[in-house]
mmCIF file of all heavy atoms in Angstrom:
data_model
loop_
_atom_site.group_PDB
_atom_site.id
_atom_site.type_symbol
_atom_site.label_atom_id
_atom_site.label_comp_id
_atom_site.label_asym_id
_atom_site.label_seq_id
_atom_site.Cartn_x
_atom_site.Cartn_y
_atom_site.Cartn_z
ATOM 1 N N GLU A 1036 51.356 -13.333 -19.235
ATOM 2 C CA GLU A 1036 50.099 -12.672 -18.782
ATOM 3 C C GLU A 1036 48.884 -13.378 -19.231
ATOM 4 O O GLU A 1036 48.762 -13.995 -20.366
ATOM 5 C CB GLU A 1036 50.077 -11.214 -19.368
ATOM 6 C CG GLU A 1036 51.311 -10.362 -18.977
ATOM 7 C CD GLU A 1036 51.288 -9.004 -19.621
ATOM 8 O OE1 GLU A 1036 50.523 -8.240 -19.208
ATOM 9 O OE2 GLU A 1036 52.141 -8.803 -20.462
ATOM 10 N N TYR A 1037 47.857 -13.430 -18.279
ATOM 11 C CA TYR A 1037 46.533 -14.194 -18.633
ATOM 12 C C TYR A 1037 45.376 -13.353 -18.264
ATOM 13 O O TYR A 1037 45.349 -12.602 -17.203
ATOM 14 C CB TYR A 1037 46.563 -15.416 -17.680
ATOM 15 C CG TYR A 1037 47.731 -16.412 -18.085
ATOM 16 C CD1 TYR A 1037 48.845 -16.473 -17.445
ATOM 17 C CD2 TYR A 1037 47.532 -17.217 -19.222
ATOM 18 C CE1 TYR A 1037 49.861 -17.319 -17.770
ATOM 19 C CE2 TYR A 1037 48.565 -18.132 -19.561
ATOM 20 C CZ TYR A 1037 49.778 -18.164 -18.785
ATOM 21 O OH TYR A 1037 50.783 -19.037 -19.128
ATOM 22 N N THR A 1038 44.440 -13.419 -19.052
ATOM 23 C CA THR A 1038 43.130 -12.672 -18.744
ATOM 24 C C THR A 1038 42.309 -13.535 -17.777
ATOM 25 O O THR A 1038 42.604 -14.726 -17.618
ATOM 26 C CB THR A 1038 42.157 -12.523 -19.990
ATOM 27 O OG1 THR A 1038 41.844 -13.871 -20.471
ATOM 28 C CG2 THR A 1038 42.879 -11.857 -21.168
ATOM 29 N N PRO A 1039 41.291 -12.805 -17.088
ATOM 30 C CA PRO A 1039 40.514 -13.750 -16.189
ATOM 31 C C PRO A 1039 39.898 -14.754 -16.799
ATOM 32 O O PRO A 1039 39.725 -15.953 -16.120
ATOM 33 C CB PRO A 1039 39.572 -12.608 -15.613
ATOM 34 C CG PRO A 1039 40.267 -11.286 -15.705
ATOM 35 C CD PRO A 1039 41.073 -11.432 -16.988
ATOM 36 N N SER A 1040 39.411 -14.644 -17.965
ATOM 37 C CA SER A 1040 38.725 -15.838 -18.713
ATOM 38 C C SER A 1040 39.784 -16.964 -19.061
ATOM 39 O O SER A 1040 39.249 -18.135 -18.889
ATOM 40 C CB SER A 1040 38.195 -15.340 -20.108
ATOM 41 O OG SER A 1040 37.123 -14.473 -19.866
ATOM 42 N N GLN A 1041 41.046 -16.634 -19.333
ATOM 43 C CA GLN A 1041 41.947 -17.736 -19.560
ATOM 44 C C GLN A 1041 42.259 -18.463 -18.250
ATOM 45 O O GLN A 1041 42.432 -19.594 -18.234
ATOM 46 C CB GLN A 1041 43.291 -17.111 -20.056
ATOM 47 C CG GLN A 1041 43.180 -16.689 -21.498
ATOM 48 C CD GLN A 1041 44.427 -15.964 -21.936
ATOM 49 O OE1 GLN A 1041 45.011 -15.033 -21.276
ATOM 50 N NE2 GLN A 1041 44.960 -16.361 -23.154
ATOM 51 N N VAL A 1042 42.272 -17.714 -17.074
ATOM 52 C CA VAL A 1042 42.556 -18.478 -15.825
ATOM 53 C C VAL A 1042 41.370 -19.349 -15.559
ATOM 54 O O VAL A 1042 41.514 -20.505 -15.179
ATOM 55 C CB VAL A 1042 42.728 -17.423 -14.729
ATOM 56 C CG1 VAL A 1042 42.844 -18.052 -13.316
ATOM 57 C CG2 VAL A 1042 43.924 -16.513 -14.916
ATOM 58 N N LYS A 1043 40.161 -18.832 -15.712
ATOM 59 C CA LYS A 1043 38.958 -19.665 -15.429
ATOM 60 C C LYS A 1043 38.974 -20.890 -16.408
ATOM 61 O O LYS A 1043 38.615 -21.917 -15.926
ATOM 62 C CB LYS A 1043 37.705 -18.734 -15.648
ATOM 63 C CG LYS A 1043 37.486 -17.747 -14.590
ATOM 64 C CD LYS A 1043 36.327 -16.765 -14.981
ATOM 65 C CE LYS A 1043 36.242 -15.710 -13.989
ATOM 66 N NZ LYS A 1043 35.259 -14.727 -14.205
ATOM 67 N N GLN A 1044 39.231 -20.692 -17.631
ATOM 68 C CA GLN A 1044 39.212 -21.783 -18.630
ATOM 69 C C GLN A 1044 40.367 -22.898 -18.232
ATOM 70 O O GLN A 1044 39.917 -24.016 -18.200
ATOM 71 C CB GLN A 1044 39.500 -21.196 -19.944
ATOM 72 C CG GLN A 1044 39.521 -22.336 -21.117
ATOM 73 C CD GLN A 1044 38.194 -22.965 -21.381
ATOM 74 O OE1 GLN A 1044 37.128 -22.280 -21.286
ATOM 75 N NE2 GLN A 1044 38.201 -24.310 -21.493
ATOM 76 N N ALA A 1045 41.437 -22.483 -17.853
ATOM 77 C CA ALA A 1045 42.470 -23.400 -17.467
ATOM 78 C C ALA A 1045 42.236 -24.215 -16.180
ATOM 79 O O ALA A 1045 42.539 -25.264 -16.060
ATOM 80 C CB ALA A 1045 43.738 -22.645 -17.339
ATOM 81 N N VAL A 1046 41.586 -23.528 -15.259
ATOM 82 C CA VAL A 1046 41.367 -24.115 -13.927
ATOM 83 C C VAL A 1046 40.092 -24.820 -13.807
ATOM 84 O O VAL A 1046 40.045 -25.965 -13.359
ATOM 85 C CB VAL A 1046 41.487 -22.971 -12.738
ATOM 86 C CG1 VAL A 1046 41.168 -23.556 -11.393
ATOM 87 C CG2 VAL A 1046 42.855 -22.349 -12.780
ATOM 88 N N VAL A 1047 39.060 -24.265 -14.373
ATOM 89 C CA VAL A 1047 37.609 -24.893 -14.207
ATOM 90 C C VAL A 1047 37.237 -25.547 -15.592
ATOM 91 O O VAL A 1047 36.551 -26.521 -15.412
ATOM 92 C CB VAL A 1047 36.609 -23.777 -13.782
ATOM 93 C CG1 VAL A 1047 35.254 -24.280 -13.778
ATOM 94 C CG2 VAL A 1047 37.057 -23.043 -12.463
ATOM 95 N N GLY A 1048 37.712 -25.030 -16.580
ATOM 96 C CA GLY A 1048 37.307 -25.613 -17.932
ATOM 97 C C GLY A 1048 36.202 -24.910 -18.433
ATOM 98 O O GLY A 1048 35.565 -25.174 -19.485
ATOM 99 N N TYR A 1049 35.874 -23.652 -17.905
ATOM 100 C CA TYR A 1049 34.791 -22.809 -18.385
ATOM 101 C C TYR A 1049 35.240 -21.344 -18.172
ATOM 102 O O TYR A 1049 35.436 -20.975 -17.073
ATOM 103 C CB TYR A 1049 33.544 -23.096 -17.657
ATOM 104 C CG TYR A 1049 32.341 -22.265 -18.036
ATOM 105 C CD1 TYR A 1049 31.851 -22.168 -19.334
ATOM 106 C CD2 TYR A 1049 31.584 -21.514 -16.988
ATOM 107 C CE1 TYR A 1049 30.823 -21.378 -19.661
ATOM 108 C CE2 TYR A 1049 30.583 -20.791 -17.319
ATOM 109 C CZ TYR A 1049 30.186 -20.642 -18.673
ATOM 110 O OH TYR A 1049 29.013 -19.958 -18.987
ATOM 111 N N GLY A 1050 35.359 -20.574 -19.298
ATOM 112 C CA GLY A 1050 35.848 -19.238 -19.188
ATOM 113 C C GLY A 1050 34.987 -18.284 -18.485
ATOM 114 O O GLY A 1050 35.375 -17.170 -18.174
ATOM 115 N N LYS A 1051 33.703 -18.586 -18.247
ATOM 116 C CA LYS A 1051 32.806 -17.696 -17.521
ATOM 117 C C LYS A 1051 32.482 -18.260 -16.135
ATOM 118 O O LYS A 1051 31.470 -17.860 -15.534
ATOM 119 C CB LYS A 1051 31.586 -17.432 -18.264
ATOM 120 C CG LYS A 1051 31.928 -16.763 -19.556
ATOM 121 C CD LYS A 1051 30.603 -16.326 -20.325
ATOM 122 C CE LYS A 1051 30.998 -15.605 -21.591
ATOM 123 N NZ LYS A 1051 29.838 -15.239 -22.398
ATOM 124 N N ALA A 1052 33.419 -19.094 -15.609
ATOM 125 C CA ALA A 1052 33.184 -19.642 -14.240
ATOM 126 C C ALA A 1052 32.959 -18.599 -13.215
ATOM 127 O O ALA A 1052 33.577 -17.559 -13.271
ATOM 128 C CB ALA A 1052 34.277 -20.660 -13.932
ATOM 129 N N GLU A 1053 32.414 -18.881 -12.083
ATOM 130 C CA GLU A 1053 32.277 -18.079 -10.946
ATOM 131 C C GLU A 1053 33.469 -18.151 -10.037
ATOM 132 O O GLU A 1053 34.207 -19.179 -10.096
ATOM 133 C CB GLU A 1053 30.972 -18.368 -10.067
ATOM 134 C CG GLU A 1053 29.697 -18.209 -10.882
ATOM 135 C CD GLU A 1053 29.300 -16.907 -11.085
ATOM 136 O OE1 GLU A 1053 29.634 -15.915 -10.371
ATOM 137 O OE2 GLU A 1053 28.638 -16.549 -12.174
ATOM 138 N N LYS A 1054 33.720 -17.132 -9.309
ATOM 139 C CA LYS A 1054 34.899 -16.996 -8.528
ATOM 140 C C LYS A 1054 35.056 -18.161 -7.439
ATOM 141 O O LYS A 1054 36.112 -18.860 -7.356
ATOM 142 C CB LYS A 1054 34.980 -15.663 -7.735
ATOM 143 C CG LYS A 1054 36.316 -15.500 -6.930
ATOM 144 C CD LYS A 1054 36.245 -14.143 -6.145
ATOM 145 C CE LYS A 1054 37.515 -13.819 -5.556
ATOM 146 N NZ LYS A 1054 38.523 -13.318 -6.276
ATOM 147 N N HIS A 1055 33.955 -18.576 -6.847
ATOM 148 C CA HIS A 1055 34.004 -19.637 -5.984
ATOM 149 C C HIS A 1055 34.269 -21.028 -6.617
ATOM 150 O O HIS A 1055 34.926 -21.789 -6.086
ATOM 151 C CB HIS A 1055 32.726 -19.789 -5.093
ATOM 152 C CG HIS A 1055 31.486 -20.235 -5.865
ATOM 153 N ND1 HIS A 1055 31.103 -21.520 -6.140
ATOM 154 C CD2 HIS A 1055 30.554 -19.477 -6.727
ATOM 155 C CE1 HIS A 1055 30.133 -21.594 -7.027
ATOM 156 N NE2 HIS A 1055 29.720 -20.338 -7.262
ATOM 157 N N GLN A 1056 33.914 -21.145 -7.857
ATOM 158 C CA GLN A 1056 34.218 -22.282 -8.599
ATOM 159 C C GLN A 1056 35.757 -22.426 -8.922
ATOM 160 O O GLN A 1056 36.348 -23.467 -8.794
ATOM 161 C CB GLN A 1056 33.460 -22.370 -9.942
ATOM 162 C CG GLN A 1056 32.015 -22.602 -9.860
ATOM 163 C CD GLN A 1056 31.349 -22.460 -11.185
ATOM 164 O OE1 GLN A 1056 31.483 -21.365 -11.854
ATOM 165 N NE2 GLN A 1056 30.464 -23.311 -11.533
ATOM 166 N N VAL A 1057 36.397 -21.261 -9.242
ATOM 167 C CA VAL A 1057 37.710 -21.250 -9.453
ATOM 168 C C VAL A 1057 38.561 -21.571 -8.157
ATOM 169 O O VAL A 1057 39.564 -22.433 -8.179
ATOM 170 C CB VAL A 1057 38.227 -19.952 -10.084
ATOM 171 C CG1 VAL A 1057 39.780 -19.834 -10.171
ATOM 172 C CG2 VAL A 1057 37.516 -19.533 -11.320
ATOM 173 N N MET A 1058 38.087 -20.977 -7.040
ATOM 174 C CA MET A 1058 38.742 -21.320 -5.857
ATOM 175 C C MET A 1058 38.750 -22.712 -5.441
ATOM 176 O O MET A 1058 39.613 -23.388 -5.018
ATOM 177 C CB MET A 1058 38.249 -20.398 -4.679
ATOM 178 C CG MET A 1058 38.593 -18.847 -4.911
ATOM 179 S SD MET A 1058 37.810 -17.947 -3.500
ATOM 180 C CE MET A 1058 38.751 -16.536 -3.743
ATOM 181 N N GLU A 1059 37.451 -23.379 -5.557
ATOM 182 C CA GLU A 1059 37.322 -24.716 -5.185
ATOM 183 C C GLU A 1059 38.111 -25.645 -6.094
ATOM 184 O O GLU A 1059 38.724 -26.633 -5.578
ATOM 185 C CB GLU A 1059 35.824 -25.071 -5.276
ATOM 186 C CG GLU A 1059 35.411 -26.575 -4.851
ATOM 187 C CD GLU A 1059 36.012 -27.041 -3.560
ATOM 188 O OE1 GLU A 1059 36.251 -26.267 -2.654
ATOM 189 O OE2 GLU A 1059 36.136 -28.271 -3.434
ATOM 190 N N MET A 1060 38.170 -25.419 -7.462
ATOM 191 C CA MET A 1060 38.886 -26.227 -8.340
ATOM 192 C C MET A 1060 40.505 -26.072 -7.974
ATOM 193 O O MET A 1060 41.166 -27.105 -8.078
ATOM 194 C CB MET A 1060 38.645 -25.938 -9.807
ATOM 195 C CG MET A 1060 37.283 -26.576 -10.219
ATOM 196 S SD MET A 1060 37.319 -28.413 -10.060
ATOM 197 C CE MET A 1060 38.661 -28.926 -11.197
ATOM 198 N N THR A 1061 40.790 -24.948 -7.651
ATOM 199 C CA THR A 1061 42.337 -24.743 -7.356
ATOM 200 C C THR A 1061 42.547 -25.543 -6.134
ATOM 201 O O THR A 1061 43.633 -26.300 -6.112
ATOM 202 C CB THR A 1061 42.522 -23.229 -7.047
ATOM 203 O OG1 THR A 1061 42.212 -22.426 -8.189
ATOM 204 C CG2 THR A 1061 43.940 -23.033 -6.585
ATOM 205 N N ARG A 1062 41.717 -25.536 -5.121
ATOM 206 C CA ARG A 1062 41.903 -26.412 -3.929
ATOM 207 C C ARG A 1062 42.003 -27.773 -4.352
ATOM 208 O O ARG A 1062 42.921 -28.478 -3.922
ATOM 209 C CB ARG A 1062 40.693 -26.104 -2.867
ATOM 210 C CG ARG A 1062 40.899 -26.976 -1.639
ATOM 211 C CD ARG A 1062 39.717 -27.018 -0.778
ATOM 212 N NE ARG A 1062 38.725 -27.749 -1.337
ATOM 213 C CZ ARG A 1062 38.624 -29.143 -1.310
ATOM 214 N NH1 ARG A 1062 39.754 -29.758 -0.803
ATOM 215 N NH2 ARG A 1062 37.719 -29.796 -1.890
ATOM 216 N N ARG A 1063 41.071 -28.297 -5.109
ATOM 217 C CA ARG A 1063 41.085 -29.692 -5.487
ATOM 218 C C ARG A 1063 42.234 -30.176 -6.170
ATOM 219 O O ARG A 1063 42.818 -31.193 -6.040
ATOM 220 C CB ARG A 1063 39.725 -30.073 -6.306
ATOM 221 C CG ARG A 1063 38.566 -29.968 -5.414
ATOM 222 C CD ARG A 1063 37.316 -30.421 -6.280
ATOM 223 N NE ARG A 1063 36.128 -30.368 -5.487
ATOM 224 C CZ ARG A 1063 34.975 -30.790 -6.064
ATOM 225 N NH1 ARG A 1063 34.717 -31.392 -7.125
ATOM 226 N NH2 ARG A 1063 33.834 -30.741 -5.256
ATOM 227 N N LEU A 1064 42.472 -29.334 -7.348
ATOM 228 C CA LEU A 1064 43.708 -29.624 -8.252
ATOM 229 C C LEU A 1064 45.040 -29.775 -7.458
ATOM 230 O O LEU A 1064 45.925 -30.607 -7.815
ATOM 231 C CB LEU A 1064 43.748 -28.646 -9.391
ATOM 232 C CG LEU A 1064 42.663 -28.725 -10.371
ATOM 233 C CD1 LEU A 1064 42.637 -27.554 -11.284
ATOM 234 C CD2 LEU A 1064 42.813 -30.094 -11.193
ATOM 235 N N LEU A 1065 45.216 -28.875 -6.408
ATOM 236 C CA LEU A 1065 46.423 -28.881 -5.690
ATOM 237 C C LEU A 1065 46.313 -29.843 -4.388
ATOM 238 O O LEU A 1065 47.382 -29.902 -3.691
ATOM 239 C CB LEU A 1065 46.751 -27.430 -5.215
ATOM 240 C CG LEU A 1065 47.158 -26.555 -6.421
ATOM 241 C CD1 LEU A 1065 47.290 -25.139 -6.015
ATOM 242 C CD2 LEU A 1065 48.395 -27.027 -7.176
ATOM 243 N N GLY A 1066 45.196 -30.405 -4.203
ATOM 244 C CA GLY A 1066 44.968 -31.321 -3.107
ATOM 245 C C GLY A 1066 45.112 -30.662 -1.680
ATOM 246 O O GLY A 1066 45.712 -31.180 -0.727
ATOM 247 N N LEU A 1067 44.667 -29.399 -1.566
ATOM 248 C CA LEU A 1067 44.694 -28.626 -0.337
ATOM 249 C C LEU A 1067 43.489 -28.821 0.581
ATOM 250 O O LEU A 1067 42.309 -29.156 0.091
ATOM 251 C CB LEU A 1067 44.679 -27.128 -0.747
ATOM 252 C CG LEU A 1067 45.848 -26.631 -1.773
ATOM 253 C CD1 LEU A 1067 45.589 -25.219 -2.079
ATOM 254 C CD2 LEU A 1067 47.151 -27.005 -1.201
ATOM 255 N N ALA A 1068 43.670 -28.705 1.835
ATOM 256 C CA ALA A 1068 42.606 -28.938 2.740
ATOM 257 C C ALA A 1068 41.680 -27.775 2.721
ATOM 258 O O ALA A 1068 40.430 -28.056 2.879
ATOM 259 C CB ALA A 1068 43.260 -29.008 4.212
ATOM 260 N N ALA A 1069 42.009 -26.573 2.297
ATOM 261 C CA ALA A 1069 41.247 -25.464 2.270
ATOM 262 C C ALA A 1069 41.602 -24.532 1.194
ATOM 263 O O ALA A 1069 42.833 -24.618 0.680
ATOM 264 C CB ALA A 1069 41.312 -24.668 3.719
ATOM 265 N N VAL A 1070 40.774 -23.673 0.893
ATOM 266 C CA VAL A 1070 41.115 -22.673 -0.217
ATOM 267 C C VAL A 1070 42.085 -21.656 0.464
ATOM 268 O O VAL A 1070 41.995 -21.261 1.601
ATOM 269 C CB VAL A 1070 39.795 -21.811 -0.675
ATOM 270 C CG1 VAL A 1070 40.111 -20.718 -1.494
ATOM 271 C CG2 VAL A 1070 38.839 -22.844 -1.369
#
């Protein structure tokens, strides 16, 4: 189980990141064409 802050920290590197930042970094880290 992970808190929203833990997800943001792991994906973006900042625990208070905005939703769009998490989505964009997820796309980039996985090499996806779109979110």
Side-chain angles (χ1 to χ4, degrees):
E1036 301 178 70
Y1037 297 96
T1038 66
S1040 293
Q1041 287 173 311
V1042 174
K1043 292 172 183 180
Q1044 180 68 40
V1046 175
V1047 179
Y1049 177 58
K1051 295 184 180 181
E1053 299 291 327
K1054 186 176 183 83
H1055 69 88
Q1056 292 173 303
V1057 176
M1058 290 181 164
E1059 179 57 21
M1060 280 304 293
T1061 299
R1062 184 194 70 75
R1063 286 184 185 190
L1064 290 168
L1065 294 173
L1067 304 175
V1070 171

